[in-house]
Amino acid sequence: MIKVVGIRFKKAGKIYYFDPVDIDVKKGDNVIVETIRGLEFGNIVVGPKNILEEDLVSPLKPIIRFATDEDIKIHKENKVMAKEAYDVCEEKVKLHKLDMYLIDSEYTFDRNKLIFYFTAEGRIDFRELVKDLAAIFKTRIELRQIGVRDEAKSMGGLGCCGRSLCCASWLGDFQPVSIKMAKDQNLSLNPSKISGVCGRLFCCLKYEHETYVKILKRMPTINSIVLTPYGEGRVIDTNTLLESAKVIVDELDDIKICSIHEIKIIEMGKKSKYINTSQMVDKSEFEELKKLEEEDKKELGVSKPKKKYKKDRNQSNNRNKKDKENTEKSKDSNKDKKYDKKPYVKQDKKQGGKFEKKQDKNQRSNKNKKDKYKKEDKNKDKEINKENK
């Protein structure tokens, strides 16, 4: 077991784990740590805890020291200087007429590097811009292109729920979201209703999806025949969150709302393509949703699963019929055939293009026996002729 602490460098940023060494740190402390970019100022979000060595993805880097008052002052100065650098960079982008949108700027703690974050539709040649910025700020310049989700995270805003965006307030990592999650939660598949400020599918579709999946495994589908405390009936509607179903009871000829735990499924109904009529969408809307899902996966670096090609039923049926006909024909032809008693002879190529016959073991053994008997008979004849002379 290894002792680690979780540190964030930005508000709602990704949590990175470090080795506390012998420093007695706790949640909420400001510390200076060593990273790939050099020294960084961070805040401890996850207190000291023990984890297995197998869970570590990369070797841990140590915490150097607690952040002093001077360090906190430098950190605040860096933020002010980064804002000034942002304004200068924006002017230079306009001068060079580059088709890019500047989002944010950031200084490393030791001011060895100045990073600018931007969004653009394609690739941009910003070499001249980097030269100008390096001449002004006299430090290393890095221009980093980010996705639409990261843009919403750094800019912030309000969601359709009326609260501040999850990604800007507390969500550390982005996770892939699919259309299936909206289907399972019985939501409308209209792109405008299930996509956020960034134009991608809502991140919050992922939060409750696991509980919906667990409940749906126990839920009867519509048109299922079930046994209730009131008698046998047919399911006409379900409520996943309440874990209940509306059932038309045959004996009472009335609709009753029953809990899943009170119901016994006799026969499961066929699952419909859409859960309800609100999920019926046009092809254009459905294609738009698919594009959003694919773009989201590209940004997060999720690889596509291999396609499983389905065989056409008509083709497979025709093949099966042909195979049956061929087997029947071969059976009939085998009945009419009269096989010779000659043993099977294999032929192998020899060097020079000649063939050498390979006979069965039984035939070889029979030949050897005959040759022996012939030799014995000749020897006997010779002896008899000698005696006669």
Side-chain angles (χ1 to χ4, degrees):
M1 299 289 278
I2 299 170
K3 195 177 181 182
V4 295
V5 290
I7 294 172
R8 264 186 181 153
F9 302 105
K10 285 183 180 179
K11 188 189 174 184
K14 192 177 178 181
I15 297 169
Y16 296 91
Y17 289 96
F18 288 84
D19 185 5
V21 198
D22 299 327
I23 303 166
D24 186 20
V25 290
K26 60 181 184 297
K27 189 178 175 182
D29 288 342
N30 293 322
V31 288
I32 303 296
V33 292
E34 188 186 344
T35 65
I36 298 164
R37 302 194 306 184
L39 294 177
E40 286 289 342
F41 179 94
N43 182 36
I44 295 172
V45 180
V46 180
K49 65 173 186 178
N50 293 318
I51 60 166
L52 295 167
E53 286 185 24
E54 297 167 1
D55 297 337
L56 288 173
V57 180
S58 57
L60 290 173
K61 292 199 171 182
I63 291 172
I64 294 168
R65 65 175 192 273
F66 282 110
T68 60
D69 293 335
E70 284 182 13
D71 293 331
I72 294 164
K73 191 181 176 182
I74 291 165
H75 181 62
K76 285 177 181 176
E77 283 174 6
N78 286 347
K79 283 186 175 180
V80 174
M81 288 172 71
K83 282 180 183 177
E84 291 170 3
Y86 177 89
D87 296 331
V88 172
C89 184
E90 212 166 24
E91 288 174 8
K92 291 292 177 184
V93 168
K94 287 175 184 176
L95 277 172
H96 288 282
K97 294 178 183 179
L98 296 171
D99 190 16
M100 58 189 276
Y101 183 66
L102 204 62
I103 302 298
D104 196 12
S105 60
E106 178 191 8
Y107 262 108
T108 55
F109 181 73
D110 50 12
R111 294 176 191 168
N112 282 335
K113 193 189 283 187
L114 177 57
I115 304 161
F116 294 98
Y117 300 95
F118 72 96
T119 55
E121 287 184 5
R123 299 185 84 180
I124 290 167
D125 185 11
F126 45 70
R127 284 175 288 185
E128 295 300 321
L129 176 65
V130 171
K131 284 177 186 177
D132 288 354
L133 294 171
I136 294 163
F137 299 109
K138 295 176 183 178
T139 186
R140 286 178 66 194
I141 304 292
E142 186 180 332
L143 283 162
R144 194 176 292 176
Q145 191 170 354
I146 58 172
V148 186
R149 277 182 154 195
D150 291 306
E151 181 187 352
K153 189 183 181 76
S154 59
M155 298 282 282
L158 295 173
C160 64
C161 57
R163 301 186 69 178
S164 58
L165 298 175
C166 297
C167 57
S169 53
W170 63 271
L171 190 65
D173 292 330
F174 291 115
Q175 291 182 333
V177 184
S178 64
I179 306 161
K180 190 180 179 297
M181 292 175 186
K183 279 186 183 181
D184 289 343
Q185 293 173 48
N186 211 1
L187 298 170
S188 170
L189 295 182
N190 190 343
S192 61
K193 290 182 180 179
I194 56 170
S195 54
V197 176
C198 57
R200 300 282 183 266
L201 295 169
F202 283 138
C203 292
C204 53
L205 291 174
K206 181 84 175 175
Y207 302 162
E208 296 175 357
H209 184 243
E210 285 183 16
T211 53
Y212 272 92
V213 170
K214 285 176 185 176
I215 294 165
L216 285 169
K217 283 178 182 177
R218 292 176 282 150
M219 285 281 281
T221 54
I222 292 163
N223 293 326
S224 295
I225 296 162
V226 294
L227 186 67
T228 67
Y230 309 102
E232 198 173 301
R234 184 171 59 85
V235 177
I236 57 166
D237 194 17
T238 56
N239 192 323
T240 313
L241 280 176
L242 296 174
E243 297 186 30
S244 64
K246 279 185 184 179
V247 183
I248 297 176
V249 182
D250 298 333
E251 293 174 10
L252 303 172
D253 196 19
D254 191 17
I255 296 168
K256 295 285 182 184
I257 297 168
C258 303
S259 173
I260 292 172
H261 310 291
E262 298 173 344
I263 289 172
K264 261 191 179 181
I265 300 166
I266 297 167
E267 190 181 333
M268 190 69 92
K270 288 182 180 178
K271 287 183 179 178
S272 59
K273 190 177 179 181
Y274 298 99
I275 296 168
N276 59 17
T277 51
S278 68
Q279 290 194 325
M280 300 284 282
V281 289
D282 297 332
K283 275 187 179 180
S284 59
E285 287 182 345
F286 194 72
E287 283 173 8
E288 194 180 333
L289 281 169
K290 275 194 169 180
K291 277 182 184 177
L292 290 175
E293 191 179 338
E294 285 170 9
E295 284 172 6
D296 191 20
K297 284 179 179 177
K298 277 182 185 178
E299 278 184 18
L300 298 171
V302 179
S303 58
K304 285 185 181 179
K306 289 182 180 179
K307 287 184 180 179
K308 292 182 180 179
Y309 297 100
K310 292 182 180 179
K311 293 179 182 178
D312 294 333
R313 288 184 180 180
N314 296 328
Q315 286 182 1
S316 59
N317 288 333
N318 291 332
R319 282 176 187 172
N320 291 331
K321 282 179 183 178
K322 284 181 182 179
D323 291 336
K324 282 181 181 179
E325 287 173 5
N326 291 330
T327 49
E328 285 174 2
K329 282 180 184 178
S330 62
K331 282 179 182 179
D332 294 333
S333 62
N334 288 338
K335 285 179 183 177
D336 300 332
K337 278 184 181 179
K338 290 180 181 179
Y339 294 103
D340 296 330
K341 290 183 180 178
K342 288 179 181 179
Y344 175 71
V345 177
K346 287 182 183 177
Q347 290 187 346
D348 283 349
K349 272 190 179 182
K350 233 185 179 186
Q351 287 180 356
K354 292 181 180 180
F355 288 89
E356 185 187 9
K357 290 185 178 180
K358 283 188 179 181
Q359 296 176 336
D360 288 344
K361 287 182 181 179
N362 294 330
Q363 192 180 6
R364 283 178 183 175
S365 62
N366 290 332
K367 265 191 174 184
N368 291 331
K369 283 179 182 178
K370 283 179 183 178
D371 292 337
K372 278 182 182 180
Y373 290 134
K374 280 181 183 179
K375 283 180 182 179
E376 286 177 0
D377 291 336
K378 281 181 182 179
N379 291 329
K380 281 182 182 180
D381 291 336
K382 282 179 182 179
E383 285 176 1
I384 290 165
N385 288 330
K386 281 181 182 179
E387 285 175 1
N388 290 330
K389 283 178 181 180

